Amino acid sequence: LAQLYKDAEVTSLVVSMICAPRFISSPSLVALAIQCAANVATIAQRQVFVDIVGAALKRVTFGKDSDDAANTSAGLTLTTLAWNVAARKDVVEDFFCATLRSFIDSSVATAAAPKFKRRAVTPLSVYLPILHTLVSAEGYAIDMEATAEQISLWRNFWFHMVVRGYLTEKSYVTAFGKIYATLAAKSPILVHPSSVNYLETEIEYNSILQREYSDASLAHLRQALAPIVSAQSQALLRNVSFHQAAFLLSVYNVEIARAASGNCATVLRYFSNSAVTSSSLLPAIESIADLAIAAYVRETTSKRWSIEASLAGNSSPNDDAVAGVQLAAGPALLPAMAQVRELMVASCHHLVLVSKWAQRFVDKIMRTFPQALLDKSVICTLLELVQLVWKSCKAEQDDQFVPVYWFTSQSLGITLQLPDSIAYRKTLYTRFAACAKRWLELVGKAAPMELETLLQVYLSTPCDDDLNYEPHIGHALALEVGNGIKYGVASSVDSSTAVVALPPNSAPFAYRLGLRDYLRGFIGQGTDVQALKKFLSDIYQLAKENPGMPLPQDGPSMREVVDKMHHATHHLVAAPRVDRELARLLVWVPLTLFDEGLMRATSHMWTTLMVERADIEVLIMVELTIAWTWLIQQHQGLFSQRFEPKSPFAAKMAYTPSDKSARSRGYAIISRALAPHMLLIEFIMQRFDSVKHLPHSNFNVINAILRILQVTFDNLQRITTNALARGPLFMLVHLGFKLLKLGFESSPILETKLRDGLYKIAFRWFALSPRWSFSGSKATLAKEIQVLIDVRHTAKGDTPVLCIVPPQAGRWSATSTAPGALPQAASSIASSPGTLGSNALSLTPLNPTTVSPLQAPQILLAPPPNQQPNGSHHHHHPHLPHPHLSQHLHGLNPLHRHKRHSSKPSAAGHLSAAEYSGATS
């Protein structure tokens, strides 16, 4: 009747009848009465709903006379009710507080079990699913808008969990770890702003801690607190009380779990609370903040790539972390970028402690993960904040007697509250401007083309001060950083004697910025798209007949082609819908012409498209994978067969000086053929670096790289062995190693095949005899040296460490300890001709904790029974990482390849390069 009428009075009468003593006192009707009341609660008003929840919670009892079946039924019913009212904000908070209060009362009154039992009905097993459902509900907002009473409830909950050991004992963490993490992520800070100077008093007289105190508990909490407190706070550890230790451990567990879930900014609220800053516990809170940002960085940068994570488009809300800052609602950002934006705004806080710690957090994120700044909203926020802080300093001259405390950016919807102390404002401006420049420079080293595009977008966007013609410090900083961007390895030019020292990228940056604004205005007047597509299509058809060759003299010049491609690029950015045919032509025209200058300009065009139109990225990456296969079929670039080296003994002896001009012409021809391919690999590497730690947006790039590497492995014999191909070849190897370092979630076969192909490419190169390889270009040589150094470091960090176990029954099996690698069958290894013979080698992993990650790989081979150490069984399996790869790369002279090692077996059973070559042949 209540569900049919949906009337407030009828619902109230029905609830009073269902909860009448004649029903509740009958054990056989309790479960049915609770279920019926929960069904009515979904349509009840707030007060009636609270009464229903209270009546249901009263029937959950623990102790000697408890009914496990009734408790379980009530828990399931309340969990279902929580799901049904998830969107009702008016009842979710009351529901949560009533459940949390009931849990604390029930759990405190129930003695802790001596041993965890998974199937036992306890307050944890009954209440935690209900709490987990409520904090995950849409209407839950206690984490941002908590009252003093709600914070007190949360604090009592965490105190009880810490003192009982529920957060540290392995069995409880295994059973309820995911619920703990969700509750911690949704928990407010454990201090209310109204506490002021009474924080330690509130903790000391907490009723939960008063009941749980014992000397054994105090010793246990101090022992758990020892790794958390820094070395400067050891005196606090010796004198910390039971109540203080419980509070610090609660804060630690909550903030570490919150940071691991992707939110490290909330801990800054402790530094904006006067009760914490005036307390003796401040050094310990600072230590916890350091551990929280370390946990956040570790969790963000250690996520392994998986298809599920890449395709999940989760985004976190842009909630404000600290008081005194207001953010306008904008488009949803990726979680990492939203965190960085929030921390940057907190870096301009009116409290010096909050400002310094926020800047410290961003510093640590930028040094390990600068890609978090690669977003238009984040870049604009950073530079606009610099402008706002500068305007606060300028306000000293405008309003000397009427100070201004609020400074707003209308374009971004950011409002800063700053004190009237001009000295603090100037100090804040100096410190924050230096930080902003340092952060942008770090991003410029990691992804220069993406940063340049974002800075151009920012400089082209109208701002609040354009109409006043006032100085804009944000624009000035953007120009300074953009002019200083470096691409590749800079040439070693002595600028100390130069008359005018200019930044390396000043002219190109200014030209591309002006070209962007001109083309946007030109496109606004209308563009003949069909004529543009016809021109590019004709160029494509003409170049496809002779790939890699210059256009005919009577045809369009390369300058005209570049101009038309610029028009096409900015038309795609400005168009409301993507013209897929035009986007494909932008990929295929430069790859069929295969010109170095055109490829360099095209890299910027592709980057502009991906940054300003993210929906085009998948189309470009798919076309690149198809074009890579086409380049292999046409024998272009790295797969060219025209430059295979010949034996010097095949040439006729000439008793004349070497023709240096002929040699230079030969080097120029080879370099022109290989340079476009190197630029293409550079673009793919840079795009990977910009999105590798963003699991919500890196699927297209990583999937394309995997396809490119796979088709390269399948055409390994087509790769040219010319000495000048060392640069692009090992750039490709380095890209594969970086992908391996990122890791694959639940894809061990994919990871094993990728590792196998990378080592085959590398060993194929080192198996060749040494040849002269200097092209005469110092810039190319410097780039190759850097590439080889990077490959050496990544190879040392990737190779697994294997050792031998005694033979078992004359048949051994091989096991690989590579991360994510699957064991290989002994039969497949034993059947490899010329490698292991009739007996296979058994390889078992060493203890990973005893091996340094920087240690060179060692594969120790023990002889089979009745065999000498130099027997025929000492060949290395070609699919396993070779122990001498790092030694080959270490100290490698870039002017020539290493000579082969002698064929004599080395000490300790290691294989020489010649032995490996014989085994693989």
Side-chain angles (χ1 to χ4, degrees):
L1 289 175
Q3 292 180 345
L4 178 63
Y5 281 97
K6 296 182 180 179
D7 181 76
E9 295 184 6
V10 173
T11 303
S12 178
L13 290 173
V14 169
V15 170
S16 62
M17 293 176 64
I18 293 177
C19 298
R22 67 173 62 188
F23 292 104
I24 298 299
S25 60
S26 177
S28 60
L29 295 178
V30 170
L32 179 60
I34 293 177
Q35 184 178 359
C36 294
N39 293 334
V40 175
T42 57
I43 61 173
Q45 293 185 351
R46 178 179 179 180
Q47 187 57 47
V48 177
F49 181 91
V50 172
D51 294 340
I52 294 173
V53 171
L57 290 174
K58 287 181 180 179
R59 306 311 303 172
V60 181
T61 58
F62 297 92
K64 296 181 180 180
D65 301 330
S66 63
D67 187 350
D68 291 348
N71 290 342
T72 304
S73 176
L76 293 175
T77 301
L78 290 173
T79 304
T80 304
L81 178 60
W83 278 113
N84 293 333
V85 298
R88 293 184 57 182
K89 188 177 179 180
D90 60 326
V91 298
V92 167
E93 293 185 5
D94 293 331
F95 193 178
F96 177 81
C97 291
T99 306
L100 188 61
R101 188 179 296 107
S102 179
F103 165 75
I104 295 172
D105 295 340
S106 301
S107 186
V108 170
T110 305
K115 185 178 180 180
F116 174 77
K117 296 180 181 179
R118 179 172 293 274
R119 296 185 179 276
V121 179
T122 61
L124 290 175
S125 63
V126 173
Y127 285 100
L128 287 187
I130 307 173
L131 296 174
H132 177 265
T133 305
L134 288 171
V135 297
S136 304
E138 181 183 350
Y140 178 86
I142 296 180
D143 53 335
M144 295 179 289
E145 306 170 0
T147 63
E149 180 184 1
Q150 292 168 347
I151 289 179
S152 177
L153 279 175
W154 268 111
R155 188 163 57 198
N156 291 342
F157 169 77
W158 290 115
F159 283 174
H160 175 68
M161 301 292 285
V162 165
V163 174
R164 287 285 180 94
Y166 294 148
L167 302 180
T168 54
E169 191 173 339
K170 185 177 180 180
S171 56
Y172 286 100
V173 174
T174 303
F176 305 108
K178 293 184 179 180
I179 297 180
Y180 293 164
T182 305
L183 292 175
K186 293 292 187 176
S187 172
I189 64 170
L190 305 185
V191 182
H192 193 265
S194 62
S195 297
V196 192
N197 298 324
Y198 302 101
L199 172 61
E200 297 188 19
T201 304
E202 291 180 3
I203 298 173
E204 183 178 359
Y205 293 101
N206 184 273
S207 59
I208 302 297
L209 297 181
Q210 292 287 346
R211 300 181 61 174
E212 301 284 356
Y213 174 78
S214 66
D215 293 338
S217 299
L218 175 59
H220 176 72
L221 293 184
R222 285 183 176 177
Q223 183 180 2
L225 199 61
I228 302 172
V229 180
S230 62
Q232 294 79 5
S233 305
Q234 290 301 318
L236 171 66
L237 183 61
R238 291 192 297 268
N239 301 321
V240 67
S241 66
F242 174 77
H243 310 81
Q244 292 173 337
F247 173 75
L248 292 177
L249 283 173
S250 300
V251 174
Y252 168 77
N253 284 285
V254 171
E255 296 306 327
I256 296 299
R258 198 199 311 270
S261 67
N263 181 6
C264 63
T266 304
V267 70
L268 295 177
R269 297 183 184 181
Y270 285 101
F271 300 120
S272 64
N273 194 300
S274 58
V276 176
T277 56
S278 61
S279 171
S280 60
L281 303 178
L282 179 61
I285 298 293
E286 292 178 338
S287 301
I288 293 173
D290 269 330
L291 295 174
I293 185 60
Y296 174 80
V297 171
R298 181 174 60 252
E299 185 69 21
T300 304
T301 57
S302 63
K303 291 180 179 178
R304 298 167 67 86
W305 182 77
S306 65
I307 295 179
E308 293 78 8
S310 299
L311 296 180
N314 296 331
S315 59
S316 63
N318 277 345
D319 56 293
D320 178 25
V322 286
V325 177
Q326 294 180 5
L327 291 174
L333 291 173
L334 294 176
M337 295 176 177
Q339 279 292 294
V340 171
R341 183 174 185 263
E342 193 174 340
L343 290 171
M344 286 177 176
V345 177
S347 300
C348 303
H349 201 272
H350 63 277
L351 296 177
V352 62
L353 195 60
V354 178
S355 174
K356 287 184 175 180
W357 273 98
Q359 292 175 10
R360 186 172 181 174
F361 278 21
V362 181
D363 260 334
K364 292 188 176 182
I365 295 174
M366 288 294 106
R367 294 187 187 280
T368 56
F369 179 38
Q371 295 83 1
L373 202 62
L374 291 176
D375 184 85
K376 176 184 176 182
S377 175
V378 181
I379 289 283
C380 294
T381 298
L382 175 62
L383 295 171
E384 283 298 309
L385 286 173
V386 176
Q387 173 69 4
L388 289 180
V389 178
W390 177 81
K391 289 175 69 175
S392 72
C393 299
K394 181 176 174 295
E396 177 187 16
Q397 304 173 359
D398 299 337
D399 298 294
Q400 184 176 1
F401 301 104
V402 184
V404 179
Y405 301 99
W406 299 91
F407 300 89
T408 303
S409 170
Q410 298 292 342
S411 57
L412 292 180
I414 297 177
T415 300
L416 294 182
Q417 177 192 4
L418 295 174
D420 58 354
S421 172
I422 300 299
Y424 174 75
R425 295 183 182 183
K426 291 181 177 180
T427 303
L428 176 62
Y429 169 72
T430 303
R431 188 174 67 246
F432 185 69
C435 288
K437 183 179 180 181
R438 181 170 65 252
W439 298 336
L440 291 172
E441 289 175 347
L442 289 173
V443 178
K445 294 179 181 178
M449 283 193 290
E450 281 82 356
L451 177 63
E452 179 177 310
T453 302
L454 289 170
L455 291 177
Q456 290 174 1
V457 171
Y458 171 72
L459 290 170
S460 303
T461 304
C463 67
D464 300 340
D465 299 323
D466 285 344
L467 298 178
N468 301 329
Y469 292 95
E470 292 186 355
H472 199 292
I473 305 302
H475 287 178
L477 181 59
L479 286 170
E480 181 181 357
V481 174
N483 291 336
I485 293 177
K486 298 179 181 179
Y487 293 96
V489 180
S491 57
S492 57
V493 179
D494 186 11
S495 60
S496 59
T497 58
V499 178
V500 180
L502 295 176
N505 195 44
S506 56
F509 181 78
Y511 170 76
R512 285 190 283 267
L513 176 61
L515 179 64
R516 180 187 187 279
D517 292 338
Y518 165 75
L519 290 176
R520 290 301 172 87
F522 183 83
I523 291 170
Q525 299 177 0
T527 304
D528 190 351
V529 183
Q530 296 301 325
L532 193 61
K533 288 196 287 188
K534 184 179 184 305
F535 177 87
L536 294 178
S537 180
D538 293 342
I539 296 296
Y540 167 68
Q541 295 296 336
L542 190 63
K544 193 176 180 181
E545 297 176 358
N546 296 302
M549 302 301 294
L551 292 173
Q553 293 184 354
D554 57 345
S557 65
M558 195 61 67
R559 180 68 185 182
E560 294 180 57
V561 176
V562 173
D563 288 342
K564 293 296 183 182
M565 290 185 63
H566 275 300
H567 278 78
T569 299
H570 289 279
H571 172 76
L572 283 172
V573 173
R577 299 185 62 181
V578 176
D579 191 330
R580 303 178 69 86
E581 182 183 355
L582 190 59
R584 290 192 182 97
L585 287 172
L586 282 177
V587 175
W588 281 96
V589 168
L591 291 178
T592 49
L593 290 172
F594 221 55
D595 179 78
E596 179 181 1
L598 179 59
M599 185 62 67
R600 199 178 300 276
T602 304
S603 298
H604 289 273
M605 299 179 199
W606 291 343
T607 304
T608 300
L609 286 174
M610 292 182 177
V611 171
E612 298 196 52
R613 287 296 296 266
D615 51 345
I616 303 183
E617 182 184 48
V618 59
L619 178 60
I620 294 178
M621 297 309 298
V622 169
E623 293 299 323
L624 283 180
T625 59
I626 301 173
W628 188 277
T629 305
W630 181 84
L631 291 175
I632 296 175
Q633 295 171 351
Q634 299 297 323
H635 303 286
Q636 293 293 317
L638 190 61
F639 303 95
S640 176
Q641 302 296 319
R642 296 179 294 160
F643 313 120
E644 292 303 298
K646 299 179 181 178
S647 173
F649 296 102
K652 185 179 179 180
M653 178 69 71
Y655 296 94
T656 57
S658 301
D659 188 354
K660 296 183 179 180
S661 60
R663 185 183 61 187
S664 298
R665 287 195 299 272
Y667 284 153
I669 294 173
I670 300 174
S671 298
R672 280 199 299 270
L674 293 175
H677 219 146
M678 180 180 289
L679 291 172
L680 177 59
I681 299 173
E682 276 187 3
F683 168 78
I684 296 174
M685 288 184 65
Q686 186 167 295
R687 193 59 195 163
F688 171 76
D689 288 336
S690 64
V691 299
K692 60 183 178 181
H693 293 311
L694 301 175
H696 304 288
S697 61
N698 63 8
F699 173 76
N700 300 324
V701 176
I702 293 180
N703 193 32
I705 293 173
L706 287 173
R707 292 176 179 270
I708 288 173
L709 290 175
Q710 184 59 53
V711 74
T712 304
F713 299 156
D714 295 339
N715 295 272
L716 182 61
Q717 299 304 321
R718 295 191 180 189
I719 298 178
T720 180
T721 57
N722 190 284
L724 297 183
R726 176 183 56 237
L729 176 66
F730 278 95
M731 285 176 63
L732 200 61
V733 173
H734 186 217
L735 175 61
F737 275 122
K738 292 166 76 172
L739 191 57
L740 275 179
K741 186 177 180 181
L742 180 64
F744 298 91
E745 187 72 30
S746 305
S747 302
I749 298 177
L750 178 62
E751 185 171 342
T752 303
K753 286 183 175 293
L754 177 59
R755 178 176 284 106
D756 180 56
L758 289 175
Y759 280 104
K760 281 183 178 179
I761 290 181
F763 289 137
R764 178 178 178 269
W765 179 266
F766 288 111
L768 302 172
S769 58
R771 296 184 184 92
W772 181 259
S773 62
F774 183 50
S775 65
S777 173
K778 289 185 177 181
T780 303
L781 180 63
K783 184 180 296 185
E784 290 182 2
I785 292 175
Q786 187 61 48
V787 168
L788 290 172
I789 292 173
D790 294 339
V791 173
R792 173 178 177 267
H793 286 309
T794 52
K796 288 177 64 177
D798 176 72
T799 49
V801 181
L802 308 174
C803 71
I804 270 299
V805 295
Q808 298 177 0
R811 192 68 175 176
W812 299 355
S813 61
T815 305
S816 173
T817 60
L822 290 179
Q824 292 178 323
S827 58
S828 63
I829 298 179
S831 62
S832 179
T835 54
L836 297 178
S838 59
N839 291 329
L841 293 176
S842 177
L843 306 176
T844 57
L846 290 173
N847 185 357
T849 60
T850 61
V851 181
S852 170
L854 299 180
Q855 183 179 358
Q858 302 291 330
I859 301 182
L860 307 179
L861 307 180
N866 304 323
Q867 292 288 340
Q868 297 300 323
N870 58 353
S872 62
H873 298 282
H874 288 266
H875 294 285
H876 182 79
H877 187 255
H879 289 189
L880 293 178
H882 194 268
H884 286 281
L885 176 59
S886 297
Q887 283 81 347
H888 276 291
L889 295 176
H890 178 62
L892 178 65
N893 187 344
L895 302 182
H896 59 83
R897 299 188 186 93
H898 264 300
K899 295 181 179 180
R900 297 184 182 180
H901 290 264
S902 63
S903 59
K904 182 180 180 181
S906 55
H910 293 294
L911 297 179
S912 64
E915 289 175 288
Y916 177 77
S917 301
T920 55
S921 63

